[in-house]
C-alpha cells in the first residue's frame, strides 16, 4: 500500500481504550416530513424515553430522516426522462424517471451495467447515487442524499449542544455496498465533533512493530455499529453511542473519500 505523505486526521497519534461502549436506540420518532425540525423531534423523543444526553455521546442519524426533513424528496411524476435515462432504463428494466433523477444527482457514472454505480456531487461512489425509495411513503417518491451532510451534522450538533449544554457528536449514516464483499453496511456521509479518521502511523502494535499504513475509518465503524440497531422495518433511525472515547474534531466525513490520485480503481 502506498504510504501517504501527510496525515489526513486530526486524531493523529492518538488511541483510546474503549472497553465499555453502549448503544441505545431512540424510540418514539414520528414519520419525518419536509420542514420538520429534526433537532426538536430528537430531543422530544429522548425526553419521553427518559434518555439524558451526556458529554461525549455520539448520535448516529440515518440519512433518510435528514433528507426528509430537508426536503430532499422527489416525486417521479414531476420528472421527464432524457434519452440517456431512457437507454439505461431499458437495459436495466428500471423506471426511466428514476434513472433521470440518478443522473441528475451524479457527477460521474462509474458503470451502468448490470447495476448503476455513480459518483455523487459529494464525491461518494455508490449505487444509484444514493437515490432510494425504501421507507418513503408512496410508490413514486424517492429520497436524495442531503445537499451537504457534513453541514447537516454540524447544525444538529450545535443545536443539541445549545439545548443540553453537552458536547454531542453527530454522524449521518447511509447504507453502502462494498467492492469485493457481499452485503451492505452503514457508513458515515456526514460528521461533526468526532474524528472520522484515526491515523496510527508511527505508533507500534502490541509486539512493538511499527505501524506504517494503518488509518482507521472511525466514523464508518461507529456508523456500522449503529446500523445493527437500525433495522429498516422497525423504525429506529437514531442510535446513541455512549462510552466511546475520542478527541473532539471538526473533520468532515468527506475526508474519508480517497483522493482521485490515490484511487487505484478510477
Amino acid at each position: 500500500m502506498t504510504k501517504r505523505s501527510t496525515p489526513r486526521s486530526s486524531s493523529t497519534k492518538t488511541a483510546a481504550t474503549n472497553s465499555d461502549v453502549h448503544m441505545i436506540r431512540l424510540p418514539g420518532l414520528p414519520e419525518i416530513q419536509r420542514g420538520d425540525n429534526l433537532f426538536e423531534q430528537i430531543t422530544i423523543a429522548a425526553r419521553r424515553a427518559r434518555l439524558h444526553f451526556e458529554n461525549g455521546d455520539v448520535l448516529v442519524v440515518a440519512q433518510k430522516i435528514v433528507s426528509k426533513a430537508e426536503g430532499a424528496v422527489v416525486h417521479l411524476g414531476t420528472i421527464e426522462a432524457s434519452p440517456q435515462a431512457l437507454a439505461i432504463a431499458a437495459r436495466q428494466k428500471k423506471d426511466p424517471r428514476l434513472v433521470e433523477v440518478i443522473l441528475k444527482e451524479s457527477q460521474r457514472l462509474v458503470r451502468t451495467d448490470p447495476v448503476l454505480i455513480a459518483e455523487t456531487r459529494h464525491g461518494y461512489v455508490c449505487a444509484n447515487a444514493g437515490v432510494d425509495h425504501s421507507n418513503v411513503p408512496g410508490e413514486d417518491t424517492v429520497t436524495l442524499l442531503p445537499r451537504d451532510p457534513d453541514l447537516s451534522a454540524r447544525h444538529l450538533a450545535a443545536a443539541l449542544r445549545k439545548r443540553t449544554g453537552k458536547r454531542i457528536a453527530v454522524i449521518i449514516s447511509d447504507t453502502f455496498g462494498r467492492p469485493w464483499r457481499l452485503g451492505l453496511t452503514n457508513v458515515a456521509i456526514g460528521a461533526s465533533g468526532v474524528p472520522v479518521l484515526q491515523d496510527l502511523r508511527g505508533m507500534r502494535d502490541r509486539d512493538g512493530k511499527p505501524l506504517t499504513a494503518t488509518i482507521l475509518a472511525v466514523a464508518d465503524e461507529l456508523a456500522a455499529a449503529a446500523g445493527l440497531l437500525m433495522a429498516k422495518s422497525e423504525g429506529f433511525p437514531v442510535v446513541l453511542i455512549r462510552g466511546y472515547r475520542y478527541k473532539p474534531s471538526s473533520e468532515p466525513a468527506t475526508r474519508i473519500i480517497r483522493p482521485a490520485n490515490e484511487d487505484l480503481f478510477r
Side-chain angles (χ1 to χ4, degrees), residues 126-225:
C126 56
N128 299 326
V131 178
D132 190 14
H133 58 74
S134 65
N135 286 324
V136 184
E139 294 296 322
D140 288 338
T141 304
V142 296
T143 57
L144 318 176
L145 295 182
R147 181 62 53 180
D148 187 339
D150 282 315
L151 181 61
S152 301
R154 289 198 299 272
H155 284 167
L156 183 53
L160 286 167
R161 182 160 191 166
K162 184 177 181 180
R163 172 68 62 86
T164 67
K166 306 296 183 181
R167 175 177 51 81
I168 302 167
V170 173
I171 292 173
I172 296 175
S173 69
D174 196 13
T175 306
F176 279 22
R178 301 158 296 162
W180 303 303
R181 298 181 72 84
L182 294 174
L184 304 173
T185 187
N186 275 18
V187 301
I189 64 169
S192 176
V194 67
V196 301
L197 296 170
Q198 185 179 28
D199 191 346
L200 301 183
R201 294 173 301 174
M203 300 183 71
R204 294 182 178 274
D205 66 14
R206 291 179 60 189
D207 296 315
K209 298 174 183 176
L211 301 174
T212 60
T214 304
I215 301 176
L216 302 180
V218 173
D220 279 351
E221 290 186 321
L222 291 169

Side-chain angles (χ1 to χ4, degrees), residues 4 108 119 123 125 257-266:
R4 300 177 191 272
R108 178 172 70 99
E119 181 179 349
V125 176
I257 299 171
R258 189 181 296 276
N261 64 345
E262 297 181 18
D263 189 341
L264 300 179
F265 307 100
R266 184 175 289 266

Side-chain angles (χ1 to χ4, degrees), residues 33-65:
Q33 307 289 338
R34 178 176 186 150
D36 281 352
N37 186 321
L38 196 54
F39 154 70
E40 290 288 352
Q41 296 291 355
I42 289 173
T43 52
I44 289 171
R47 185 168 61 248
R48 288 175 176 168
R50 298 183 179 179
L51 177 63
H52 301 284
F53 293 109
E54 299 178 2
N55 277 322
D57 283 348
V58 179
L59 203 65
V60 182
V61 182
Q63 159 269 322
K64 190 63 60 70
I65 65 171

Side-chain angles (χ1 to χ4, degrees), residues 52-95:
H52 301 284
F53 293 109
E54 299 178 2
N55 277 322
D57 283 348
V58 179
L59 203 65
V60 182
V61 182
Q63 159 269 322
K64 190 63 60 70
I65 65 171
V66 177
S67 294
K68 289 178 180 179
E70 295 181 355
V73 178
V74 173
H75 301 286
L76 297 182
T78 65
I79 300 299
E80 182 176 348
S82 63
Q84 183 183 15
L86 288 168
I88 294 173
R91 292 198 303 271
Q92 294 200 357
K93 296 181 173 56
K94 287 181 178 287
D95 186 328

